[in-house]
Amino acid sequence: MTWVLDHVDQLLSLSAYHLWLALLPLVLGLLIALPLGWVASRYYWARVILVPAAGLLYTIPSLALFVLMPLILGTLILDPLNVQIALTVYTVALLVRVVADALAAVPATVAAAATAMGYRPVGRFFAVDLPLALPVLLAGVRVATVSNISLVSVGSLIGVHGLGQALTEGFQRDNYAEIIAGIVLIVVLALAVDAVLVLVGRVLTPWARIGGRR
Amino acid sequence: MIEFQAVTKKYDDGTVAVDNLSLTIDAGRITVFVGPSGCGKTTSLRMINRMIDATSGTILLDGKDIRAQHPAELRRGIGYVIQHAGLFPHRTVLDNVATVPVLTGASKAVARKRAADLLERVGLPAELGKRYPAQLSGGQQQRVGVARALAADPPVLLMDEPFSAVDPIVRDGLQDELLRLQSDLGKTIVFVTHDIDEAIKLGDKVAVLRVGGRLAQYATPAELLAKPVDDFVASFVGRDRGYRALGFLSAQGVPIGPVATVALGAEVGQARAELDNGWAVVVDEAGRPLGWVSDQSLSIVEERVGRSDLVSGGSLFDVESGSLRTALDAALSSPAALGIAVDAAGAVVGGVVADTVLKALADARRTGEVPT
Amino acid sequence: MWEWLTNPDNWTKTFGTPGIPQRLAEHLQYTAVAVVIAALIAVPLGAYIGHTGRGGTFVVGMVNAFRALPELGLLILLALSMGVLLAFEAMTITLVLIAVPPMLAGTYAGIRNVDQSAVDAARGMGMREREVLVKVELPNALPLILGALRTATLQVIATASIAAFVSLGGLGRFVVDGLALREFDQMAGGAVLIAALAIVVELVLAGAQWLVVSPGLRAPRSRKRKATT
């Protein structure tokens, strides 16, 4: 425990960096996945190409992707950009399918009514489809977020140090306190961000709360 | 035969689903439980095969308490048909139907053969056996459900709103199928529905239940229509009660009068000569009615009476199988105020007037045929 | 990197250092053992919870919590506390802990999503509870259960690639060694192998799923015209 108290500053800065490494890809990934998923939900041919491709990308283990990034991008091996780009790829791979499913789940009758009222496709997307797709979308975003936060720790194996540093260092120094601190902080970060997302979801979808339970 | 003896079902939160129900279900007959939502009809049905256990009271199946047997054993001897068929999506239609025989120990080959026979019995083509439930329409799935329930040849069949989820035309067909099957098989059928018309059409006896699980009236459909025991039953049975009751009275005593006929293709002048009271019915070579011609309609016909010159007729009254209701309807719906009576082959045998039908009704009341 | 991959030396045991086939075998072994153990735990448990309907919220909560746990941390903790000699056991425990939550959730969801009227009909025709579970619920839950199995297997393969960090084998060895020796072609080669393994396993499992699941449960591709009544 004393170790932890001595190193609070270091742990905090590692945590912040860890979040940065994890969340930037999330935001970027979401922004990329939304249009891709929208196309996949509207056009069958797009869905048939994009969803299996996404699935295939998601299959590649994180360590492999982190290592292959410099090869593909030409960056230095130890550049944190590798981790962030790899995580963005993961986020996109996960969310494209979620976005496609979420948009496809919007009741066709509602969408048709909106079009009949005079919404153009883009306007309808923001006014009707996206809000209604939000619950499913949010569930996917939560999974992607927690997953990213956990995966950043693997980056330590190739020298990109978020909280994973506490794990690898702790292993090398036989320092249990450090390891446990690392694990606990990662879990806490993940659960905290998850809770924030749940709150955001509630705020954005007031209609889901009214109507009571089944 | 199934006997309910003071059966009650009360739930923990105090709701009484079935309240002191006592009645006897006749063997070999269709008995319908009908009533509004919350009247306990489904609960009562499900107590027969112990899907729900009664809080108090006894149910006897052929004199034996159903609680004496293990529920699974009991159910293997009772057919069970539910609203959305409940077919197993992961098995072919044939294997679905063969389920209970296999469960009770028959070999797969024997069970499948029986299943194929049953599919034919319920009016489904044999190739459907290889398909999966997801590939069938709602009506087809329901038929498979019935076939599955009949597979082990149980003496008792429980049916819980089996036709409610299909469209009215399909439902009509399924109801007719059920009546035909019953005339072949003679099972003891307990049928639950919320539709009073279905109850009246199918039931040999109908039990009307009220909200709260109490029995309001248990009688034949004719009695229900003619003598509802209180306001609730009367309003549940619905409007046109008197008119619908006529459906249960035979039209044997209704006199058939003559009707003027004209052959299709006859000359206008000849047709005109045949008109009786300004109207005549046009028939084909077999004597079957095609439509009417009148004074007015003939005035624009050139040479011969063709199909396009006909005035559309009303419903037909079959003298052999018709009821007072069909006779009255034929008379009322005819443009000539004269109902067309036909024989079993569909050929015109005469005409019937509304007055004579009502006179026949008055006679039936006098002789006691109509319950008063 | 391509030279490293095509160098025949790397495909055999040279000087006692295991080559690619050996590492591959190790990786597969770690994966298979963990997945089998996890399935033996998760599927019966998930089936029981799904069938009886009790403990559903527990399952969901647990799965969410476990997803937040960093595999690396878990592995390190266990490896350290159990000692170097038990590294394999430590890793197997870690892998099982990673594989169980998705399989549990998948089995639970699969059973819950079975058409309830089919289950009701099954009971009504006289199947005992165990028969209902085995003959009706499980076959119908198979798509979701196998889907979860695939997800879990991939996660295990991914985590097994980290095993090298605690001095175990597997394809991750090439990455870790490569990093240590600054031999980036070896690193890259290892990464490609891991990725290839994952993709191949996924395709094999997908094919197996297609074979095993009843054709009656396949979602219809196009709206075929159904026969009229």
Side-chain angles (χ1 to χ4, degrees), chain B residues 73 76-77 98-106 152, chain C residues 125:
Chain B
E73 294 299 326
R76 289 177 194 189
T99 305
V100 183
V102 169
L103 218 55
T104 49
Chain C
M125 62 176 64

Side-chain angles (χ1 to χ4, degrees), chain C residues 141-214:
Chain C
L142 222 43
L144 279 173
I145 295 180
L146 290 180
L149 183 75
R150 280 161 62 189
T151 309
T153 306
L154 286 176
Q155 276 179 267
V156 168
I157 290 181
T159 312
S161 54
I162 306 180
F165 187 71
V166 292
S167 316
L168 286 168
L171 293 171
R173 184 91 257 156
F174 296 123
V175 175
V176 171
D177 288 346
L179 185 62
L181 298 172
R182 288 274 185 247
E183 278 175 31
F184 297 125
D185 55 347
Q186 191 181 150
M187 251 182 114
V192 167
L193 284 170
I194 296 176
L197 174 66
I199 293 177
V200 166
V201 168
E202 160 73 2
L203 288 175
V204 166
L205 288 180
Q209 178 170 345
W210 192 86
L211 283 172
V212 167
V213 173
S214 160

Side-chain angles (χ1 to χ4, degrees), chain B residues 46 49 51 70 72-73 75-76 80 82 86-91 99-100 103 132 134-137 140 143 148, chain C residues 115 117-128 131 135-136 139-140 214-217 224 226-229:
Chain B
R46 282 161 72 91
N49 64 354
M51 295 294 276
H70 188 287
E73 294 299 326
R75 292 170 195 157
R76 289 177 194 189
Y80 186 51
I82 53 178
L87 300 181
F88 301 152
H90 66 294
R91 288 196 188 160
T99 305
V100 183
L103 218 55
Y132 286 90
Q135 296 166 289
L136 267 52
S137 71
Q140 288 171 323
R143 285 174 199 252
R148 185 174 65 173
Chain C
D115 182 11
S117 56
V119 175
D120 188 58
R123 281 200 188 103
M125 62 176 64
M127 283 191 189
R128 291 169 218 271
E131 286 177 310
K135 291 186 185 176
V136 179
N140 279 294
S214 160
L217 294 171
K224 287 210 186 112
K226 290 183 184 161
T228 47
T229 329

